[in-house]
Amino acid sequence: MTINRIIPLLILAFFLFSCSPSQNTSLAVSDKAMIIHNVQLIDVNTGSIEQKKAILIDSSMIKAIEPFDLLSELVRPENHIDAKNKYVIPGLWDMHVHLEGADLIPDNEALIPVFVAYGITTVRDAASDLGEQVLTWRDEINTGKRFGPQIFTAGLKLEGINSIWKGDLEIANEQELLQMLDKLDAYQVDFVKITENTLPGKLFLTSTIEAKKRGYLVSGHVPYDLTIKQLAEAGFSSIEHASHLLRLGSDEATIVEKVKSGKLTKQQAGESYLANFDQDRAIKAYTELAKTGVYLTPTLIGGKQLAYLDENDHQNDEFLQYLTKRFTDNYQWRISRMANDTPEQKRQRKERYQLISQQLPHALKAGITLLAGSDAAALNTYVYPAQSLHEELVLFQQAGLTPLQILQSATINGARFMGRLASLSTIDIGKEADLVILNKNPLADISATGDIFAVVNNGQYLNRSRLDSILQKARERRIELDKSRE
């Protein structure tokens, strides 16, 4: 054999040896380590799909991603999980929920595991009257005392005096604001939420500035007596609800001044924004807003459910099997408020919803980062916990977003917003093991996120049988609670 043939053979032998299972024998794993193999791994950064990969998970972390043959000997055979060539994505994030209702503590508690059963491994709770309870649930989940999705929460939100919302931290001046921020410091909240029911714009703006000084992310609504630009320049982190974008299709500054001077009521201002909306003007404003780095959580599903309430009969919705009567009784206040709507009002409601949804592609193209959030809450009619996030993602697709853009809004964008992208929301070595295994390719149709084969929540593998068991337990708890209240 000539030297010219020997050298290539030696190189090939070295390559095969270096890629053999022995290269991973130095990787220390526990007896509980598992391998999920035969997966199609979706990279939510690029939309690429890696075939025939295996993911080694140990101690709630992703320890290796290699071909199965290179990892199989490290893990007990009984901990080898064949994903049957299914699609794997990071765990989903619902970036706007409310676990609310002082009389609904056990009802909400029963629903916490349901989020995981729907592939949602992280939620951002946007404050409620159950703020202190949610903080406890958050800490219990973080320490492994409770099963559920990771929770980031604002606890209790800042509002004005005599707000219509229960459990707010009501403030009338800057001194009270600082006292309430001290309280939120003590709670160790993950961000600050501010709304505008009775909070004057000037104090709202000061609240944003002071919360930002303390290092908080600041989320909330946009008051009628402030411009979006004023809030963004003050350090506002995320605008909750895409309906606020309609302001940017008009001369917002002039309308705000008229509200402040009493020339326009809030209702008249809202009507003006809708009636005089100019798409080209809005697109230019979105480009400027994007430069500030403000995120947007559209929450389309709530508006859609109300706009089409006259066309959809929700009485037989499947998800109602998990909701107590006391929980769904809260839906009635919005239903009653709309009961006497005229045909014209119903038409206008649909047109407004469609206009809002049409803004998403424009906002995204302008550079605004979107966060997928459902606004699921007892007070939001037919916006069901867990299920509504999947409905929200489908509405994003109907609005014109690509499946990859939508996946990003429900995974890496949330982690980036919360400053946790280094440890969450991509399938990479060293990241926390939160995964969803799907039967179909979500890059072809985003509705595939609702067709779940298995979930990995904080390193715990939950096959379809275990997910169904979680849902069965939620059904049984709903029946138990309803009977106890008869």
Side-chain angles (χ1 to χ4, degrees), residues 3-14:
I3 190 69
N4 288 336
R5 294 187 65 188
I6 292 173
I7 290 175
L9 288 173
L10 288 172
I11 293 172
L12 177 61
F14 174 78

Side-chain angles (χ1 to χ4, degrees), residues 48-83:
S48 63
I49 301 178
E50 292 189 78
Q51 306 282 343
K52 304 293 184 181
K53 286 293 186 177
I55 306 168
L56 192 155
I57 297 171
D58 192 25
S59 303
S60 302
M61 306 294 291
I62 298 173
K63 293 298 183 72
I65 302 173
E66 300 281 357
F68 179 62
D69 290 346
L70 302 184
L71 299 175
S72 60
E73 293 182 6
L74 298 177
V75 175
R76 292 180 172 185
E78 60 267 31
N79 292 340
H80 294 179
I81 299 168
D82 185 353

Side-chain angles (χ1 to χ4, degrees), residues 396-443:
F396 280 13
Q397 185 167 268
Q398 292 174 358
L401 272 59
T402 69
L404 178 59
Q405 291 169 335
I406 300 167
L407 276 181
Q408 290 169 344
S409 76
T411 54
I412 54 175
N413 291 359
R416 184 177 290 113
F417 178 82
M418 296 305 306
R420 296 294 301 276
L421 191 55
S423 60
L424 294 167
S425 280
T426 60
I427 307 173
D428 289 304
I429 297 170
K431 294 288 187 85
E432 295 180 25
D434 289 331
L435 309 169
V436 187
I437 304 175
L438 302 172
N439 290 309
K440 298 176 183 177
N441 183 2
L443 295 176

Side-chain angles (χ1 to χ4, degrees), residues 35-322:
I35 295 175
I36 304 174
H37 64 98
N38 194 14
V39 302
Q40 299 194 61
L41 194 156
I42 293 178
D43 184 336
V44 293
N45 282 299
T46 65
S48 63
I49 301 178
E50 292 189 78
Q51 306 282 343
K52 304 293 184 181
K53 286 293 186 177
I55 306 168
L56 192 155
I57 297 171
D58 192 25
S59 303
S60 302
M61 306 294 291
I62 298 173
K63 293 298 183 72
I65 302 173
E66 300 281 357
F68 179 62
D69 290 346
L70 302 184
L71 299 175
S72 60
E73 293 182 6
L74 298 177
V75 175
R76 292 180 172 185
E78 60 267 31
N79 292 340
H80 294 179
I81 299 168
D82 185 353
K84 303 183 185 301
N85 205 34
K86 307 295 186 182
Y87 298 86
V88 181
I89 63 171
L92 297 170
W93 290 50
D94 190 331
M95 287 294 286
H96 193 125
V97 305
H98 296 279
L99 301 172
E100 66 183 7
D103 61 340
L104 294 172
I105 292 176
D107 312 62
N108 282 286
E109 185 176 32
L111 292 168
I112 290 174
V114 173
F115 284 97
V116 177
Y118 275 74
I120 300 165
T121 58
T122 305
V123 299
R124 183 175 66 129
D125 174 72
S128 76
D129 58 336
L130 283 187
E132 292 182 352
Q133 180 64 66
V134 175
L135 285 159
T136 297
W137 287 335
R138 175 198 68 179
D139 295 344
E140 289 174 349
I141 290 170
N142 287 343
T143 57
K145 295 179 181 178
R146 178 180 294 276
F147 174 81
Q150 181 170 224
I151 296 174
F152 295 104
T153 181
L156 303 170
K157 62 186 173 70
L158 297 175
E159 251 292 0
I161 303 300
N162 297 323
S163 163
I164 63 169
W165 308 113
K166 297 178 180 178
D168 291 337
L169 299 178
E170 297 185 356
I171 57 175
N173 51 56
E174 189 170 342
Q175 180 181 356
E176 291 180 357
L177 163 64
L178 298 178
Q179 291 172 348
M180 292 308 178
L181 287 175
D182 288 343
K183 190 170 186 175
L184 292 176
D185 287 343
Y187 283 147
Q188 296 183 316
V189 298
D190 301 298
F191 68 104
V192 169
K193 172 78 179 294
I194 314 174
T195 56
E196 81 303 357
N197 178 242
T198 60
L199 187 62
K202 183 177 180 181
L203 189 52
F204 192 111
L205 194 64
T206 302
S207 299
T208 301
I209 294 169
E210 292 299 326
K212 200 70 177 179
K213 283 181 183 178
R214 300 192 186 206
Y216 286 113
L217 295 164
V218 185
S219 298
H221 301 175
V222 181
Y224 279 99
D225 50 353
L226 285 178
T227 66
I228 290 177
K229 181 180 179 181
Q230 286 175 305
L231 276 180
E233 291 177 346
F236 216 54
S237 307
S238 70
I239 296 170
E240 304 303 308
H241 316 305
S243 55
H244 295 298
L245 290 183
L246 298 187
R247 301 159 63 110
L248 297 179
S250 301
D251 184 354
E252 184 189 19
T254 296
I255 293 175
V256 165
E257 286 304 314
K258 288 182 178 181
V259 170
K260 290 168 67 175
S261 66
K263 294 180 180 178
L264 283 178
T265 65
K266 293 179 180 180
Q267 181 177 343
Q268 288 170 334
E271 292 170 351
S272 178
Y273 286 131
L274 183 61
N276 299 302
F277 181 83
D278 179 84
Q279 188 66 72
D280 290 338
R281 182 172 193 152
I283 291 171
K284 292 178 182 178
Y286 298 160
T287 301
E288 293 304 309
L289 182 61
K291 295 175 183 178
T292 70
V294 171
Y295 287 63
L296 172 68
T297 316
T299 66
L300 295 182
I301 183 63
K304 188 262 184 184
Q305 298 294 57
L306 294 179
Y308 292 87
L309 193 62
D310 60 321
E311 296 183 17
N312 299 320
D313 181 5
H314 293 280
Q315 299 308 306
N316 295 315
D317 283 358
E318 184 178 351
F319 199 87
L320 292 173
Q321 64 189 310
Y322 308 120

Side-chain angles (χ1 to χ4, degrees), residues 296 298 300 356-366 368-372 392-410 413 442-447:
L296 172 68
L300 295 182
I356 293 169
S357 69
Q358 289 164 13
Q359 302 316 301
L360 267 60
H362 296 303
L364 194 62
K365 186 176 181 180
I368 296 174
T369 303
L370 302 183
L371 301 171
E392 181 80 3
L393 302 186
V394 171
L395 294 181
F396 280 13
Q397 185 167 268
Q398 292 174 358
L401 272 59
T402 69
L404 178 59
Q405 291 169 335
I406 300 167
L407 276 181
Q408 290 169 344
S409 76
N413 291 359
L443 295 176
D445 186 338
I446 200 63
S447 65

